[in-house]
Amino acid sequence: MTLRIVLVDDHPVVRAGVRALLESTDDLVVVGEASNSAGAVLAVEAERPDVVLMDLSLGEGEGGIVATARIRALPDPPAVLVLTTYDSESDILRALDAGAAGYLLKDAPPDQLFAGIHAVSRGEPALAPSVAAVLMRRAASPEPRMTEREVEVLELLADGLGNRELAKALFVSEATVKSHLSHIYGKLGVDTRAGAVAAAIEQRIIRR
């Protein structure tokens, strides 16, 4: 059985390389390409592929996580296999929450990519070893985990925003921002903004 693939990546050279790699096999064929979220949805609707290979960074506009959610919301959607350079906990969890069936990194050997495509087409998960390790650490950790909003606050902290700017960006009061910061400091075991950002990057809660 030949599996039909749609590639979603904002770099034409990357798409060309992945296409050549996949089509060097006897049972994988690329039927469509897209460089952004809207194009990905259109390609899936037009081609009805078995699997979508999805990068997370799609330039300006909606990223791969939003594109994944939009594709998975379609009638009889294909499996989505993330293929990206990002391996932070927040990226992994958001992609899986959006409906991705697997998560591989772009430095994966070809055999791992081929096996991952076949696995997700059968409804089985496909995870890079480092991604599986992140999920295992998360499952085994007794420490309280960051909420999605707290991850968002950390990402804005890393961008250098102050409390007033945070409140404006999040559409909340400064008192609410201070409450979020207090919870974040407690979970990370720090007492400064810089310490929170450093710990979040070290623990791969956010990427920088």
Side-chain angles (χ1 to χ4, degrees):
M1 173 184 171
T2 299
L3 295 179
R4 295 161 52 81
I5 315 296
V6 163
L7 302 178
V8 185
D9 194 295
D10 63 334
H11 292 99
V13 172
V14 172
R15 294 200 307 273
V18 175
R19 175 188 279 271
L21 179 63
L22 298 182
E23 294 189 339
S24 69
T25 69
D26 296 328
D27 54 3
L28 301 174
V29 60
V30 175
V31 297
E33 298 183 13
S35 61
N36 54 46
S37 177
V41 174
L42 289 174
V44 168
E45 291 178 325
E47 301 296 342
R48 310 306 300 172
D50 300 295
V51 176
V52 175
L53 279 184
M54 178 70 69
D55 190 13
L56 292 189
S57 178
L58 299 178
E60 296 182 1
E62 296 177 344
I65 291 172
V66 173
T68 295
R70 291 181 62 187
I71 288 170
R72 292 298 299 167
L74 295 172
D76 191 23
V80 177
L81 175 58
V82 170
L83 182 64
T84 188
T85 58
Y86 302 126
D87 63 351
S88 73
E89 180 177 307
S90 62
D91 286 318
I92 295 167
L93 295 179
R94 288 176 179 178
L96 297 179
D97 285 345
Y103 199 111
L104 298 180
L105 302 179
K106 287 184 176 178
D107 61 0
D111 287 349
Q112 187 180 100
L113 176 59
F114 301 153
I117 291 171
H118 284 281
V120 298
S121 75
R122 296 190 300 265
E124 301 169 6
L127 300 173
S130 61
V131 172
V134 168
L135 295 178
M136 289 179 65
R137 284 198 302 272
R138 184 178 191 275
S141 174
E143 299 174 359
R145 309 306 303 181
M146 294 292 163
T147 65
E148 186 171 342
R149 175 47 64 94
E150 287 166 352
V151 171
E152 189 176 3
V153 170
L154 281 165
E155 290 173 338
L156 293 173
L157 279 182
D159 289 336
L161 273 65
N163 284 8
R164 182 174 298 178
E165 295 167 310
L166 280 168
K168 185 176 181 180
L170 298 172
F171 300 101
V172 298
S173 68
E174 288 189 53
T176 299
V177 168
K178 292 177 181 178
S179 177
H180 285 314
L181 291 175
S182 176
H183 292 150
I184 288 169
Y185 292 171
K187 290 179 179 181
L188 293 176
V190 299
D191 55 12
T192 66
R193 302 162 75 91
V197 171
I201 294 172
E202 181 181 358
Q203 296 178 32
R204 293 159 70 182
I205 296 171
I206 60 174
R207 66 170 185 261
R208 277 297 180 272

